[in-house]
Amino acid sequence: MNLIEIGSRIKAYRKSISISQEKLAEMVDVSPHYIYEIERGSKSMSLETLMNLSVALQLSTDYILFGNQATDIVSLSEQLAKMNEKQRERAESAFKALLPYIK
């Protein structure tokens, strides 16, 4: 695991979606300087920060850590669109149960 490569991927993607370090820091609940350090590759991050970055940037942790693009992963919205009402209700219940652990 190369911190410089991880930071480069985060920075490149952040810039591609026109989000400032300050905005990303706010979304992840860390300081802008910490985002700067992560993007430079001079700081590692906790699992919680990795997960928060993944959610904020809508990138897989596999991509952030290793640069692997999963071609068979379907977005959550695409999966929900394919579900019937009962399945969506179950997915919503499961997601609500997980929310406290994501924050």
Side-chain angles (χ1 to χ4, degrees), residues 3-45:
L3 294 178
I4 294 172
E5 290 176 6
I6 291 169
S8 293
R9 278 190 288 278
I10 292 168
K11 182 178 183 176
Y13 188 75
R14 175 184 60 77
K15 286 185 165 199
S16 77
I17 60 172
S18 302
I19 294 179
S20 68
Q21 286 181 335
E22 291 77 15
K23 179 64 177 172
L24 181 57
E26 181 182 312
M27 295 167 72
V28 178
D29 197 27
V30 296
S31 73
H33 185 73
Y34 188 53
I35 295 294
Y36 166 77
E37 298 264 340
I38 290 171
E39 289 183 351
R40 281 187 58 218
S42 59
K43 288 274 186 180
S44 62
M45 66 188 106

Short mmCIF file of all heavy atoms in Angstrom, two decimals, residues 3-45:
data_model
loop_
_atom_site.label_atom_id
_atom_site.label_comp_id
_atom_site.label_asym_id
_atom_site.label_seq_id
_atom_site.Cartn_x
_atom_site.Cartn_y
_atom_site.Cartn_z
N LEU A 3 1.20 5.18 0.15
CA LEU A 3 0.45 6.37 0.56
C LEU A 3 0.47 7.47 -0.50
O LEU A 3 -0.52 8.19 -0.65
CB LEU A 3 1.00 6.91 1.88
CG LEU A 3 0.82 6.03 3.11
CD1 LEU A 3 1.45 6.69 4.34
CD2 LEU A 3 -0.64 5.72 3.36
N ILE A 4 1.56 7.59 -1.22
CA ILE A 4 1.64 8.61 -2.27
C ILE A 4 0.65 8.31 -3.39
O ILE A 4 -0.05 9.20 -3.88
CB ILE A 4 3.08 8.75 -2.80
CG1 ILE A 4 3.98 9.31 -1.68
CG2 ILE A 4 3.13 9.64 -4.04
CD1 ILE A 4 5.45 9.32 -1.99
N GLU A 5 0.56 7.04 -3.79
CA GLU A 5 -0.39 6.66 -4.84
C GLU A 5 -1.83 6.83 -4.36
O GLU A 5 -2.69 7.29 -5.12
CB GLU A 5 -0.14 5.21 -5.27
CG GLU A 5 1.14 5.04 -6.05
CD GLU A 5 1.42 3.59 -6.40
OE1 GLU A 5 0.56 2.73 -6.14
OE2 GLU A 5 2.51 3.33 -6.93
N ILE A 6 -2.10 6.46 -3.12
CA ILE A 6 -3.45 6.63 -2.55
C ILE A 6 -3.82 8.11 -2.58
O ILE A 6 -4.90 8.49 -3.04
CB ILE A 6 -3.52 6.07 -1.12
CG1 ILE A 6 -3.41 4.55 -1.14
CG2 ILE A 6 -4.80 6.53 -0.41
CD1 ILE A 6 -3.21 3.91 0.22
N GLY A 7 -2.92 8.94 -2.09
CA GLY A 7 -3.16 10.37 -2.07
C GLY A 7 -3.37 10.95 -3.46
O GLY A 7 -4.23 11.80 -3.68
N SER A 8 -2.59 10.47 -4.41
CA SER A 8 -2.72 10.94 -5.79
C SER A 8 -4.08 10.59 -6.39
O SER A 8 -4.68 11.40 -7.09
CB SER A 8 -1.62 10.35 -6.66
OG SER A 8 -0.37 10.85 -6.27
N ARG A 9 -4.55 9.37 -6.09
CA ARG A 9 -5.86 8.96 -6.60
C ARG A 9 -6.97 9.84 -5.99
O ARG A 9 -7.88 10.28 -6.69
CB ARG A 9 -6.14 7.48 -6.29
CG ARG A 9 -5.51 6.54 -7.28
CD ARG A 9 -5.99 5.12 -7.10
NE ARG A 9 -5.46 4.50 -5.90
CZ ARG A 9 -4.25 3.94 -5.80
NH1 ARG A 9 -3.44 3.94 -6.84
NH2 ARG A 9 -3.85 3.38 -4.69
N ILE A 10 -6.88 10.08 -4.68
CA ILE A 10 -7.88 10.90 -4.01
C ILE A 10 -7.87 12.31 -4.59
O ILE A 10 -8.92 12.86 -4.94
CB ILE A 10 -7.64 10.93 -2.49
CG1 ILE A 10 -7.91 9.54 -1.89
CG2 ILE A 10 -8.50 11.99 -1.81
CD1 ILE A 10 -7.43 9.37 -0.46
N LYS A 11 -6.68 12.89 -4.72
CA LYS A 11 -6.55 14.25 -5.24
C LYS A 11 -7.07 14.35 -6.68
O LYS A 11 -7.83 15.27 -7.01
CB LYS A 11 -5.10 14.70 -5.18
CG LYS A 11 -4.87 16.12 -5.66
CD LYS A 11 -3.41 16.51 -5.51
CE LYS A 11 -3.18 17.95 -5.91
NZ LYS A 11 -1.78 18.34 -5.67
N ALA A 12 -6.66 13.41 -7.51
CA ALA A 12 -7.07 13.45 -8.92
C ALA A 12 -8.59 13.35 -9.04
O ALA A 12 -9.22 14.10 -9.81
CB ALA A 12 -6.39 12.33 -9.70
N TYR A 13 -9.18 12.46 -8.28
CA TYR A 13 -10.63 12.31 -8.38
C TYR A 13 -11.34 13.53 -7.80
O TYR A 13 -12.31 14.01 -8.38
CB TYR A 13 -11.11 11.03 -7.69
CG TYR A 13 -12.56 10.79 -7.98
CD1 TYR A 13 -12.96 10.33 -9.23
CD2 TYR A 13 -13.54 11.11 -7.06
CE1 TYR A 13 -14.29 10.15 -9.54
CE2 TYR A 13 -14.88 10.94 -7.36
CZ TYR A 13 -15.25 10.47 -8.60
OH TYR A 13 -16.58 10.32 -8.91
N ARG A 14 -10.85 14.03 -6.67
CA ARG A 14 -11.44 15.23 -6.06
C ARG A 14 -11.45 16.37 -7.07
O ARG A 14 -12.46 17.05 -7.25
CB ARG A 14 -10.68 15.62 -4.79
CG ARG A 14 -11.17 16.92 -4.17
CD ARG A 14 -10.33 17.34 -2.98
NE ARG A 14 -8.93 17.55 -3.28
CZ ARG A 14 -8.44 18.63 -3.89
NH1 ARG A 14 -9.25 19.59 -4.31
NH2 ARG A 14 -7.15 18.77 -4.11
N LYS A 15 -10.32 16.57 -7.73
CA LYS A 15 -10.23 17.65 -8.72
C LYS A 15 -11.14 17.39 -9.91
O LYS A 15 -11.72 18.32 -10.47
CB LYS A 15 -8.78 17.83 -9.18
CG LYS A 15 -7.93 18.50 -8.14
CD LYS A 15 -6.54 18.76 -8.68
CE LYS A 15 -5.82 19.74 -7.78
NZ LYS A 15 -4.69 20.36 -8.46
N SER A 16 -11.28 16.12 -10.32
CA SER A 16 -12.11 15.81 -11.48
C SER A 16 -13.58 16.11 -11.24
O SER A 16 -14.33 16.34 -12.18
CB SER A 16 -11.94 14.35 -11.90
OG SER A 16 -12.66 13.48 -11.04
N ILE A 17 -13.99 16.11 -9.98
CA ILE A 17 -15.38 16.44 -9.66
C ILE A 17 -15.49 17.83 -9.05
O ILE A 17 -16.54 18.20 -8.51
CB ILE A 17 -16.03 15.37 -8.75
CG1 ILE A 17 -15.28 15.22 -7.43
CG2 ILE A 17 -16.14 14.04 -9.48
CD1 ILE A 17 -15.99 14.33 -6.41
N SER A 18 -14.43 18.61 -9.16
CA SER A 18 -14.40 20.03 -8.75
C SER A 18 -14.82 20.26 -7.30
O SER A 18 -15.63 21.13 -7.00
CB SER A 18 -15.29 20.86 -9.68
OG SER A 18 -14.87 20.73 -11.00
N ILE A 19 -14.22 19.48 -6.41
CA ILE A 19 -14.43 19.68 -4.97
C ILE A 19 -13.12 20.19 -4.37
O ILE A 19 -12.06 19.63 -4.63
CB ILE A 19 -14.87 18.38 -4.27
CG1 ILE A 19 -16.25 17.94 -4.76
CG2 ILE A 19 -14.88 18.54 -2.76
CD1 ILE A 19 -16.74 16.65 -4.14
N SER A 20 -13.20 21.23 -3.58
CA SER A 20 -12.02 21.77 -2.92
C SER A 20 -11.61 20.88 -1.75
O SER A 20 -12.42 20.08 -1.25
CB SER A 20 -12.29 23.19 -2.40
OG SER A 20 -13.22 23.14 -1.34
N GLN A 21 -10.37 21.02 -1.32
CA GLN A 21 -9.92 20.29 -0.13
C GLN A 21 -10.77 20.68 1.07
O GLN A 21 -11.10 19.83 1.91
CB GLN A 21 -8.45 20.60 0.16
CG GLN A 21 -7.50 19.93 -0.79
CD GLN A 21 -6.04 20.22 -0.47
OE1 GLN A 21 -5.72 21.24 0.13
NE2 GLN A 21 -5.17 19.33 -0.89
N GLU A 22 -11.15 21.93 1.14
CA GLU A 22 -11.95 22.40 2.26
C GLU A 22 -13.32 21.74 2.28
O GLU A 22 -13.81 21.30 3.32
CB GLU A 22 -12.11 23.93 2.20
CG GLU A 22 -10.84 24.71 2.47
CD GLU A 22 -9.86 24.74 1.29
OE1 GLU A 22 -10.25 24.39 0.14
OE2 GLU A 22 -8.68 25.08 1.54
N LYS A 23 -13.95 21.63 1.10
CA LYS A 23 -15.27 20.99 1.01
C LYS A 23 -15.17 19.51 1.34
O LYS A 23 -16.00 18.97 2.06
CB LYS A 23 -15.86 21.21 -0.40
CG LYS A 23 -17.21 20.56 -0.60
CD LYS A 23 -18.27 21.17 0.30
CE LYS A 23 -19.63 20.56 0.02
NZ LYS A 23 -20.63 20.96 0.98
N LEU A 24 -14.15 18.85 0.81
CA LEU A 24 -13.97 17.42 1.10
C LEU A 24 -13.73 17.21 2.60
O LEU A 24 -14.30 16.31 3.20
CB LEU A 24 -12.82 16.84 0.28
CG LEU A 24 -12.56 15.35 0.47
CD1 LEU A 24 -13.80 14.52 0.17
CD2 LEU A 24 -11.39 14.91 -0.40
N ALA A 25 -12.92 18.06 3.19
CA ALA A 25 -12.65 17.96 4.62
C ALA A 25 -13.95 18.09 5.43
O ALA A 25 -14.18 17.33 6.38
CB ALA A 25 -11.66 19.04 5.05
N GLU A 26 -14.78 19.00 5.02
CA GLU A 26 -16.08 19.19 5.68
C GLU A 26 -16.94 17.93 5.52
O GLU A 26 -17.57 17.47 6.48
CB GLU A 26 -16.79 20.39 5.04
CG GLU A 26 -18.12 20.73 5.64
CD GLU A 26 -18.76 21.90 4.91
OE1 GLU A 26 -18.07 22.93 4.69
OE2 GLU A 26 -19.95 21.79 4.56
N MET A 27 -16.96 17.35 4.34
CA MET A 27 -17.76 16.16 4.08
C MET A 27 -17.27 14.95 4.89
O MET A 27 -18.05 14.09 5.28
CB MET A 27 -17.72 15.82 2.58
CG MET A 27 -18.38 16.85 1.70
SD MET A 27 -17.99 16.64 -0.05
CE MET A 27 -18.93 15.16 -0.44
N VAL A 28 -15.95 14.90 5.12
CA VAL A 28 -15.34 13.76 5.80
C VAL A 28 -15.19 14.01 7.31
O VAL A 28 -14.90 13.10 8.07
CB VAL A 28 -13.98 13.43 5.14
CG1 VAL A 28 -13.25 12.30 5.82
CG2 VAL A 28 -14.16 13.11 3.67
N ASP A 29 -15.42 15.25 7.71
CA ASP A 29 -15.31 15.66 9.12
C ASP A 29 -13.87 15.58 9.63
O ASP A 29 -13.60 15.01 10.68
CB ASP A 29 -16.25 14.84 10.01
CG ASP A 29 -16.47 15.49 11.37
OD1 ASP A 29 -16.36 16.74 11.46
OD2 ASP A 29 -16.76 14.75 12.34
N VAL A 30 -12.96 16.12 8.81
CA VAL A 30 -11.55 16.26 9.19
C VAL A 30 -11.12 17.67 8.80
O VAL A 30 -11.86 18.40 8.16
CB VAL A 30 -10.64 15.20 8.51
CG1 VAL A 30 -11.02 13.79 8.96
CG2 VAL A 30 -10.69 15.32 7.01
N SER A 31 -9.90 18.02 9.14
CA SER A 31 -9.41 19.36 8.79
C SER A 31 -8.93 19.38 7.33
O SER A 31 -8.49 18.36 6.80
CB SER A 31 -8.25 19.77 9.70
OG SER A 31 -7.09 19.04 9.37
N PRO A 32 -8.99 20.56 6.70
CA PRO A 32 -8.45 20.68 5.33
C PRO A 32 -6.97 20.31 5.27
O PRO A 32 -6.52 19.72 4.29
CB PRO A 32 -8.67 22.15 4.98
CG PRO A 32 -9.82 22.57 5.84
CD PRO A 32 -9.66 21.79 7.12
N HIS A 33 -6.23 20.64 6.34
CA HIS A 33 -4.80 20.31 6.35
C HIS A 33 -4.60 18.79 6.33
O HIS A 33 -3.66 18.30 5.69
CB HIS A 33 -4.10 20.93 7.55
CG HIS A 33 -2.61 20.71 7.53
ND1 HIS A 33 -1.78 21.38 6.66
CD2 HIS A 33 -1.83 19.87 8.24
CE1 HIS A 33 -0.53 20.97 6.84
NE2 HIS A 33 -0.54 20.04 7.79
N TYR A 34 -5.46 18.06 7.00
CA TYR A 34 -5.36 16.60 7.01
C TYR A 34 -5.61 16.04 5.60
O TYR A 34 -4.89 15.13 5.16
CB TYR A 34 -6.35 16.01 8.02
CG TYR A 34 -6.21 14.54 8.25
CD1 TYR A 34 -4.99 13.96 8.58
CD2 TYR A 34 -7.30 13.70 8.12
CE1 TYR A 34 -4.87 12.60 8.78
CE2 TYR A 34 -7.20 12.33 8.33
CZ TYR A 34 -5.97 11.79 8.66
OH TYR A 34 -5.85 10.44 8.86
N ILE A 35 -6.59 16.60 4.89
CA ILE A 35 -6.82 16.19 3.50
C ILE A 35 -5.58 16.46 2.67
O ILE A 35 -5.14 15.63 1.87
CB ILE A 35 -8.07 16.89 2.90
CG1 ILE A 35 -9.35 16.47 3.62
CG2 ILE A 35 -8.17 16.65 1.38
CD1 ILE A 35 -9.73 15.01 3.45
N TYR A 36 -4.98 17.64 2.87
CA TYR A 36 -3.76 18.01 2.17
C TYR A 36 -2.66 16.98 2.44
O TYR A 36 -1.98 16.51 1.51
CB TYR A 36 -3.32 19.41 2.62
CG TYR A 36 -1.92 19.78 2.23
CD1 TYR A 36 -1.61 20.17 0.93
CD2 TYR A 36 -0.89 19.76 3.16
CE1 TYR A 36 -0.32 20.52 0.57
CE2 TYR A 36 0.40 20.11 2.82
CZ TYR A 36 0.69 20.48 1.52
OH TYR A 36 1.97 20.82 1.17
N GLU A 37 -2.50 16.59 3.69
CA GLU A 37 -1.46 15.61 4.07
C GLU A 37 -1.74 14.23 3.46
O GLU A 37 -0.82 13.55 3.02
CB GLU A 37 -1.39 15.49 5.60
CG GLU A 37 -1.00 16.78 6.30
CD GLU A 37 0.46 16.85 6.61
OE1 GLU A 37 1.12 15.81 6.64
OE2 GLU A 37 0.95 17.97 6.85
N ILE A 38 -3.01 13.83 3.45
CA ILE A 38 -3.38 12.54 2.83
C ILE A 38 -3.05 12.58 1.34
O ILE A 38 -2.46 11.66 0.79
CB ILE A 38 -4.87 12.22 3.07
CG1 ILE A 38 -5.12 11.89 4.54
CG2 ILE A 38 -5.32 11.06 2.17
CD1 ILE A 38 -6.60 11.77 4.90
N GLU A 39 -3.46 13.67 0.68
CA GLU A 39 -3.22 13.78 -0.76
C GLU A 39 -1.74 13.83 -1.11
O GLU A 39 -1.34 13.37 -2.17
CB GLU A 39 -3.94 15.00 -1.32
CG GLU A 39 -5.44 14.84 -1.35
CD GLU A 39 -6.19 15.99 -1.97
OE1 GLU A 39 -5.57 17.05 -2.24
OE2 GLU A 39 -7.40 15.86 -2.19
N ARG A 40 -0.93 14.37 -0.24
CA ARG A 40 0.53 14.39 -0.46
C ARG A 40 1.16 13.03 -0.21
O ARG A 40 2.30 12.77 -0.60
CB ARG A 40 1.20 15.39 0.49
CG ARG A 40 1.08 16.82 0.05
CD ARG A 40 1.90 17.75 0.92
NE ARG A 40 3.30 17.36 0.91
CZ ARG A 40 4.10 17.41 1.97
NH1 ARG A 40 3.67 17.84 3.12
NH2 ARG A 40 5.35 17.04 1.87
N GLY A 41 0.44 12.18 0.54
CA GLY A 41 0.98 10.87 0.89
C GLY A 41 1.84 10.90 2.13
O GLY A 41 2.56 9.95 2.41
N SER A 42 1.76 11.99 2.89
CA SER A 42 2.58 12.10 4.09
C SER A 42 1.85 11.65 5.35
O SER A 42 2.47 11.56 6.40
CB SER A 42 3.10 13.52 4.26
OG SER A 42 2.04 14.44 4.34
N LYS A 43 0.56 11.38 5.25
CA LYS A 43 -0.21 10.89 6.40
C LYS A 43 -1.04 9.70 5.97
O LYS A 43 -1.60 9.68 4.87
CB LYS A 43 -1.18 11.96 6.92
CG LYS A 43 -0.56 13.10 7.63
CD LYS A 43 -0.37 12.78 9.08
CE LYS A 43 0.14 14.04 9.77
NZ LYS A 43 0.36 13.90 11.14
N SER A 44 -1.13 8.73 6.84
CA SER A 44 -2.06 7.63 6.61
C SER A 44 -3.39 8.02 7.23
O SER A 44 -3.49 9.06 7.89
CB SER A 44 -1.52 6.34 7.23
OG SER A 44 -1.39 6.48 8.62
N MET A 45 -4.39 7.20 7.03
CA MET A 45 -5.71 7.53 7.56
C MET A 45 -6.29 6.33 8.29
O MET A 45 -5.91 5.19 8.03
CB MET A 45 -6.64 7.99 6.45
CG MET A 45 -6.98 6.92 5.44
SD MET A 45 -7.87 7.54 4.02
CE MET A 45 -6.57 7.50 2.80
#
